[in-house]
Amino acid sequence: MVTTLLRLAYQNLQVKQLRLYIILTGVSIVIGVLFVSSILIAGIYYSLERGLSKLGADLLVIPKESLVNLKSALLTGEPSTFYMESSVLEKIRSLKGVKKASPQLFLTSATGECCVIGNSFLIGFDPSTDFTIMPWVAKKMGDSFPDDGAIIGGMVPFNLGDRLHFFGVPLTVWGQLERTGIGLYDNAIFFHIKKGYEMSEKSQTDPSIPPLKPLKGKISSVLVQLSVGAKIPFITFSILRSHPELKVVTTGNIQTSVRHTTIAVFFGVIVLIVLLVLSNVLMINAIFSAVVNERKRELGIMRAIGATKNSIFKLIVYESTIVTLLSGLLGMIVGGILLKIFHRTIIFYLKLLNIPFMLPPVEIIAWLALLAITIAFIMGISGSTYPALVALRIDPHEAMKQGL
Amino acid sequence: MDGFIRAIDLKKVYYVGNQKIEAVRGVSLQVERGDFIVILGHSGSGKTTLISMIGGLTRPSSGNVFIEGINLWALGDKELSLFRNKKIGFIFQSFSLLPSLNVLNNVVVPAIFSKKAKKDRKALQSRAHSILSDLNMVDKMNSYPSELSGGEQRRVAIARALINDPDIILADEPTSELDIRTEYEVIEIFQNINEAYKKTIIVVSHTLSWAQKAKKVIVMKDGLIYDNIADPVETLMGGMSKRI
């Protein structure tokens, strides 16, 4: 009976086509906006998760005043420098519960002798203790990382084997990370930390090289991996007790903080979508109330010839749901096409807003499509429930007298 | 009293504002299987309300309706709907077809609600085809109601009433708005249904054309019935236009 009722509902929809098109247009716009926005938001989150997971660290120890700079660096890859004494590293390593600790050294803007690289972020790391960069190298030359090697981020426009010069120090591109959407990684050039100190020294002695701060004995951050069972609050407390000038952040802290920024940006969009969904539900309600009112006699006849109240309810809800599901599909197709066309523009504007973005994987997009269709389905049901309940109250005898 | 259809002291009272309207004022009626009864009466005499109560469409203010011993108004809504669907074929006044469906689909609609559609889809289509053939409507099977004449629409409504092979046909003014020639054709069809299909038929009408063909004529006036009458026109005291 369900199939036959669905067919009947579909045939009924074809009678008043203007109404059909009004609902199709309204709901497909809502679902299209919803689908595209959800892909954008998911893309941002995916990008953040993917990028921040590559920190690979449970804790990040940095100078106290540098947290804001770190967030900016994470999102935009804008060069951001802050330093602390390198002696901190050994103290952290000696703490019970710390499995690995590896230093990083951030240098100021990347001015190469061969060229000037706009926003590239120069980061020295220690390959012997590193656990955050090497595991994520997507392509590389050979197995061992040479002393003069450089690992470039996914968006740095160099090829493997290219020769670079920074602050008088030559480097060879040895590997490249996959793209993450996180500025810190995508725009960075990583090299041996001792090359960072060499750059600093050369800049002090060679007047043709832009000056860097004296960095001997300094590091920018310590990435910490904890032993199994070690408690983050306990380690944090231990570090801060001996070094109150430091700040200990977890990757969770950073993600939360960055998420708040993106939610603030997308809050307006989310509110707009909610309002659009509600207004469309009201529109469906109004249209189907009119439909029920116009078709009182017809529904009365159906009741008279044996339709139960349940069948009448289903018929009205099926009609509405068929339209909203079709609208949902249409909205997703149009939204998907627009997203494909304006993909680069969207990334450009998000970048202006310091928001990282990568298209999420197909399976996430498929889930979002399912969510959009489900919302379209719910809109259909919720929009027509009240008119369908009104239809149940139709008295067959009274309804048939209306046509006399 | 063991009739096929028994209406016992049926009353129906409406209220329009503070005004009490007694549409049917205590009607008892017995119909035997295979009867062809016509209820004649003026507009507002209560005949449509009476047939609606007998058919399970309007709940009486008081009184009972028994069909094959089943108290219709003791059934729940779902049971009553299914009972109507299975036992009673309704034919209404004009514009009773579903405009979105073609003739064939209009005819099979009652079967949708009877669970027959799922089981015997082909058999159902075949039955609809056969009934439409009997009514000379096969060539219009794919037409929509708006493309049919008044007489053709009535024939489709008759086919629809027969699709579930009900025991009873209830018809409310089935020849209203038809010309005399078409009216007679429709009456012939009803007579044929009564004789060939062995259906029990109750027709309410305000035209006397039916009186000649029915096995029994009942006159209804001011919410009461006048049974076993020699001259319906006399009973109606000349208030009815004799169209023959």
Side-chain angles (χ1 to χ4, degrees), chain A residues 7 11-12 297 303 305 397, chain B residues 52 58 77 94 100 121:
Chain A
R7 197 182 305 119
Q11 281 163 328
N12 284 338
R297 180 173 162 79
R303 288 279 287 128
I305 62 179
H397 173 64
Chain B
S52 290
T58 302
D77 183 78
S94 54
S100 61
R121 193 168 187 80

Side-chain angles (χ1 to χ4, degrees), chain A residues 111-129:
Chain A
T111 307
E113 284 168 11
C114 67
C115 48
V116 174
I117 307 161
N119 283 329
S120 283
F121 199 176
L122 299 180
I123 301 175
F125 74 107
D126 180 2
S128 63
T129 58

Side-chain angles (χ1 to χ4, degrees), chain A residues 1 4-5 7-8 11-12 15 297-298 301-309 311 395-398 400-401 403-404, chain B residues 14 48-49 52 57-58 77-78 81 84-85 90 92-96 98-101 105 109-110 112-113 121 160:
Chain A
M1 188 163 88
T4 322
L5 268 181
R7 197 182 305 119
L8 183 58
Q11 281 163 328
N12 284 338
V15 177
R297 180 173 162 79
E298 184 185 323
I301 287 166
M302 291 175 78
R303 288 279 287 128
I305 62 179
T308 58
K309 286 184 174 180
S311 303
D395 179 88
H397 173 64
E398 289 300 316
M400 284 181 299
K401 282 202 317 195
L404 304 185
Chain B
Y14 294 107
T48 296
T49 304
S52 290
L57 299 179
T58 302
D77 183 78
K78 187 176 178 182
S81 297
R84 276 200 303 261
N85 180 263
F90 286 95
F92 308 106
Q93 298 188 37
S94 54
F95 313 116
S96 73
L98 306 182
S100 61
L101 304 182
N105 286 330
V109 160
I112 292 173
F113 306 117
R121 193 168 187 80
R160 183 176 66 187

Side-chain angles (χ1 to χ4, degrees), chain A residues 276-332:
Chain A
L276 280 173
V277 168
L278 288 176
S279 61
N280 269 259
V281 167
L282 291 175
M283 175 187 76
I284 295 166
N285 186 302
I287 288 177
F288 274 86
S289 293
V291 165
V292 166
N293 198 38
E294 277 176 17
R295 281 169 42 194
K296 263 186 182 170
R297 180 173 162 79
E298 184 185 323
L299 295 171
I301 287 166
M302 291 175 78
R303 288 279 287 128
I305 62 179
T308 58
K309 286 184 174 180
N310 189 29
S311 303
I312 296 293
F313 183 86
K314 279 184 189 166
L315 181 68
I316 302 293
V317 173
Y318 283 169
E319 285 183 25
S320 158
T321 313
I322 287 171
V323 193
T324 55
L325 283 177
L326 284 174
S327 311
L329 285 173
L330 185 69
M332 285 196 309

Side-chain angles (χ1 to χ4, degrees), chain A residues 53 132 135 171-172 180 185 189 230 286 312 315 322 326 374 387:
Chain A
S53 69
T132 65
L171 298 170
T172 303
T180 64
Y185 287 93
I189 297 170
I312 296 293
L315 181 68
I322 287 171
L326 284 174
T374 307

